[in-house]
Amino acid sequence: MNAEISALEDNHTWILVDLPAGKVPVRCKWVYKVKYHADNTIERYKATLVSKGYTQLEGVDYFDTFSPVAKITIVRLDVNNAFLHVDLNEEVYMHPPPGYGSYGNSLAEITQVNTFLDQKFRIKDLGQLKYFLGLEIARSTSGIFLNQRKYVLEFLEDTGFLGAKLVSTPIDPNTKLSSTNGIPLDDPSSYMKLIGRLLYLTNTRPGISYSVQHLSQFVSNPFIPHYQVATRVLRYLKAFPAQGVLFSSSSALKLHGFADSDGARCPDSRRSVTGFCVLLGDYLLSWRSKKQNTVSRSSTEAEYKALTSLTCEI
């Protein structure tokens, strides 16, 4: 709780004032969660302060709504309180955090809670981050290495591909899947779950981004050829379960990127696919493979669309 309050203060999230006449303050509450390591042992106890915004009335307490979304790039940059980096135009009054009185810290109560938790769970400072939402973090003099090895192995075990035959590439470069050719799957939900888990793997596996993007287009009506290509991705993961991205400690702080597009590759819509990557020095910070929203009239137009997407990302 102290760490959360300190982060809120550092971001200048609020100013402590007397409540003006006629203003109704929003209440808030603490949300607690236990975080786990890759081996399912307890890493730490997390406290998050949230406001009860649902008590506000539109047109009275606020006029516009905006919900910032934390991107996986923010996780790679290790940004604390990712949701708080947005300016508010309206005045919002909130009660002080529970347990902190009139914002004079109740150290005695905090100490009592910590003592109680220590007696029950033997809490301690677990040091540097090693596991977070299926992401494994390893540190060395070379830098920080991010991968999802445990997630991959559990994924393969759940799908029965832990002993599958290995392949060296996630997809055949000549593969062109269609939404009209093939026999429909008997159980489309299995394909949906498969693609959903593959999408999460693209957070540390840029090499499968194109394959997963290609396959995700057919989740609403998957055919047997789509599933067969998806299983090839699983066999590729079996061959390289621990691949990830390295954030070099000796990398220069120079931001640059690369973008490209194919030429109307989709056989159904004739739309091109944008691919780009953003690097900070030597390490890969952000990447994406996505079908363009409209048909391009030339390869040059498709390339400009790819550059536009890259520029927006930067």
Side-chain angles (χ1 to χ4, degrees):
M1 291 163 66
N2 284 335
E4 175 78 348
I5 292 296
S6 297
L8 292 167
E9 288 178 331
D10 292 342
N11 286 322
H12 306 291
T13 307
W14 59 55
I15 302 173
L16 189 65
V17 298
D18 292 327
L19 185 66
K23 296 291 185 179
V24 179
V26 176
R27 294 193 175 277
C28 57
K29 67 177 181 179
W30 289 103
V31 176
Y32 303 100
K33 188 171 184 179
V34 181
K35 299 285 185 177
Y36 294 92
H37 285 295
D39 59 0
N40 292 325
T41 57
I42 294 177
E43 175 203 347
R44 63 189 172 101
Y45 300 90
K46 180 176 176 61
T48 305
L49 183 68
V50 297
S51 61
K52 300 181 179 180
Y54 55 82
T55 61
Q56 294 180 295
L57 297 176
E58 185 176 4
V60 177
D61 300 305
Y62 68 92
F63 298 95
D64 297 318
T65 57
F66 177 73
S67 179
V69 177
K71 298 174 63 177
I72 193 65
T73 305
I74 294 175
V75 176
R76 298 191 194 106
L77 286 171
D78 195 21
V79 177
N80 292 320
N81 299 87
F83 291 95
L84 302 177
H85 295 272
V86 176
D87 294 329
L88 276 178
N89 295 321
E90 294 84 8
E91 289 183 346
V92 178
Y93 294 90
M94 187 182 77
H95 284 283
Y100 283 79
S102 59
Y103 209 55
N105 290 343
S106 179
L107 297 179
E109 187 172 351
I110 293 171
T111 302
Q112 182 181 354
V113 171
N114 285 337
T115 302
F116 171 77
L117 291 174
D118 184 53
Q119 291 173 349
K120 297 293 183 181
F121 304 106
R122 298 298 180 190
I123 63 173
K124 62 179 180 180
D125 184 0
L126 296 174
Q128 293 181 326
L129 177 65
K130 296 180 180 179
Y131 186 71
F132 174 74
L133 297 178
L135 307 176
E136 298 180 55
I137 298 93
R139 291 174 171 83
S140 70
T141 54
S142 300
I144 298 175
F145 180 65
L146 201 66
N147 71 4
Q148 292 172 276
R149 180 193 57 83
K150 179 176 182 290
Y151 181 90
V152 169
L153 295 178
E154 290 179 347
F155 186 10
L156 293 172
E157 184 177 6
D158 292 344
T159 53
F161 278 81
L162 201 54
K165 184 179 179 181
L166 310 183
V167 293
S168 59
T169 58
I171 193 172
D172 186 324
N174 297 316
T175 299
K176 286 187 178 182
L177 297 175
S178 171
S179 60
T180 57
N181 297 328
I183 301 173
L185 283 176
D186 294 333
D187 182 18
S189 63
S190 62
Y191 182 83
M192 296 177 186
K193 293 177 183 178
L194 180 64
I195 299 304
R197 298 184 72 171
L198 286 174
L199 282 169
Y200 189 62
L201 265 178
T202 60
N203 292 328
T204 60
R205 305 291 297 257
I208 67 171
S209 292
Y210 171 77
S211 308
V212 177
Q213 174 271 327
H214 197 35
L215 292 167
S216 64
Q217 301 174 55
F218 311 104
V219 290
S220 59
N221 187 28
F223 292 166
I224 290 179
H226 306 150
Y227 180 77
Q228 291 172 338
V229 175
T231 59
R232 180 188 174 98
V233 179
L234 294 179
R235 291 190 285 130
Y236 170 77
L237 293 173
K238 173 63 171 61
F240 309 99
Q243 282 191 346
V245 288
L246 174 67
F247 299 160
S248 174
S249 58
S250 59
S251 178
L253 292 178
K254 179 182 178 182
L255 191 67
H256 55 285
F258 301 91
D260 198 3
S261 71
D262 61 10
R265 186 174 178 84
C266 178
D268 298 323
S269 66
R270 307 308 301 167
R271 285 186 280 168
S272 302
V273 174
T274 288
F276 69 72
C277 62
V278 181
L279 297 95
L280 185 59
D282 298 330
Y283 73 76
L284 202 56
L285 179 62
S286 178
W287 55 87
R288 185 174 303 166
S289 177
K290 187 178 186 298
K291 185 188 290 187
Q292 296 180 357
N293 294 328
T294 57
V295 177
S296 297
R297 291 171 290 183
S298 66
S299 59
T300 302
E301 183 179 348
E303 296 286 2
Y304 271 111
K305 289 178 180 177
L307 286 170
T308 300
S309 297
L310 172 63
T311 304
C312 291
E313 179 73 4
I314 291 177

